[in-house]
Amino acid sequence: MEPEMGAWSVLEYVAIATETARSGSRFYLSSMQPQLAKNLPENLNAVLLDGKLTVTTENVEALEGVVKDRVCLLDPQAEVELCPEDGERFDWFVFGGILGDDPPRDRTAELRKYGYQGRNLRKLQMTTDTAARVTRIVVEEKKSLDEIPFTDFPELQINKNESTQMPFRYVKDADGMPVMPKGMLDLIKADADKSLDDLF
């Protein structure tokens, strides 16, 4: 876990924790910097106090109940695609900060040394909350990746005259819109405003 947590990451982690708790599973933020673990952003701390999140400075290997053969590492370089049967094979699904970068960086490398079995979610880059959402749909709802409706590189309307294209794959909702964390669209709009201000 990086020493600082950006606003985008906070919204993604809140979404993951909330959705994971709703499904009866648990979300761990491991390898946290001690100072950050003690001073979580307010909305993430609220999720922690609500019992939907576990924060620890320990790495995955040190977590109680972790059995190596029952851990799946979500890895874009893995040769095998995640499938519904993996819900029976694995108890833990590890996301190593590998998602949500544009362009993507291989930050999974440090986790491969543990020898976990890897699975991919195909080639297109996803945000971290989307990857967690897709994994849950596959292993808990028993849907293959082919059965999940996706929208790729959606264009978001910022205002009447401006739009921005997101460089990621998202799950598509019933209205055909990308599923995003609560507050994310407002954050994207605010970031777009800042970028415009930088021009003047």
Side-chain angles (χ1 to χ4, degrees):
M1 180 65 64
E2 295 180 358
E4 294 184 3
M5 192 178 294
W8 285 53
S9 294
V10 172
L11 293 182
E12 290 181 344
Y13 293 152
V14 169
I16 295 170
T18 302
E19 293 177 19
T20 303
R22 192 182 302 138
S23 75
S25 299
R26 190 138 188 95
F27 177 46
Y28 287 77
L29 277 178
S30 61
S31 302
M32 290 279 284
Q33 297 287 335
Q35 194 61 29
L36 182 56
K38 293 177 183 177
N39 298 281
L40 290 174
E42 185 176 346
N43 48 348
L44 193 59
N45 193 55
V47 175
L48 174 69
L49 295 175
D50 203 26
K52 298 175 181 175
L53 169 69
T54 298
V55 173
T56 177
T57 57
E58 303 283 359
N59 65 30
V60 176
E61 290 280 284
L63 295 179
E64 184 177 354
V66 171
V67 178
K68 183 176 179 179
D69 290 344
R70 302 289 294 177
V71 176
C72 174
L73 175 63
L74 276 297
D75 183 353
Q77 293 188 18
E79 296 182 359
V80 181
E81 187 175 286
L82 188 74
C83 67
E85 292 75 20
D86 286 327
E88 308 302 322
R89 294 188 184 104
F90 302 111
D91 301 316
W92 300 78
F93 294 86
V94 178
F95 303 84
I98 57 175
L99 308 139
D101 284 335
D102 179 47
R105 292 177 285 169
D106 183 18
R107 296 197 287 181
T108 315
E110 62 190 75
L111 290 169
R112 290 192 192 110
K113 66 185 179 185
Y114 295 123
Y116 300 138
Q117 296 183 62
R119 295 290 187 271
N120 73 66
L121 299 175
R122 297 188 176 161
K123 297 302 181 185
L124 288 184
Q125 190 76 353
M126 299 179 184
T127 61
T128 308
D129 64 291
T130 299
R133 187 173 297 115
V134 168
T135 297
R136 190 171 54 256
I137 292 171
V138 172
V139 302
E140 294 184 1
E141 298 181 21
K142 304 301 181 186
K143 293 183 179 180
S144 70
L145 291 175
D146 286 329
E147 295 176 282
I148 300 174
F150 290 114
T151 179
D152 300 334
F153 316 125
E155 192 164 315
L156 304 180
Q157 200 67 34
I158 301 300
N159 54 46
K160 186 172 64 174
N161 301 311
E162 185 186 5
S163 64
T164 185
Q165 187 176 49
M166 303 302 292
F168 305 114
R169 163 171 279 189
Y170 295 87
V171 174
K172 184 165 56 178
D173 68 15
D175 297 319
M177 299 299 293
V179 178
M180 292 183 170
K182 183 178 180 181
M184 184 61 78
L185 187 55
D186 291 336
L187 185 58
I188 292 169
K189 289 179 178 179
D191 280 356
D193 289 340
K194 288 178 187 175
S195 298
L196 285 175
D197 289 342
D198 289 341
L199 297 176
F200 302 100

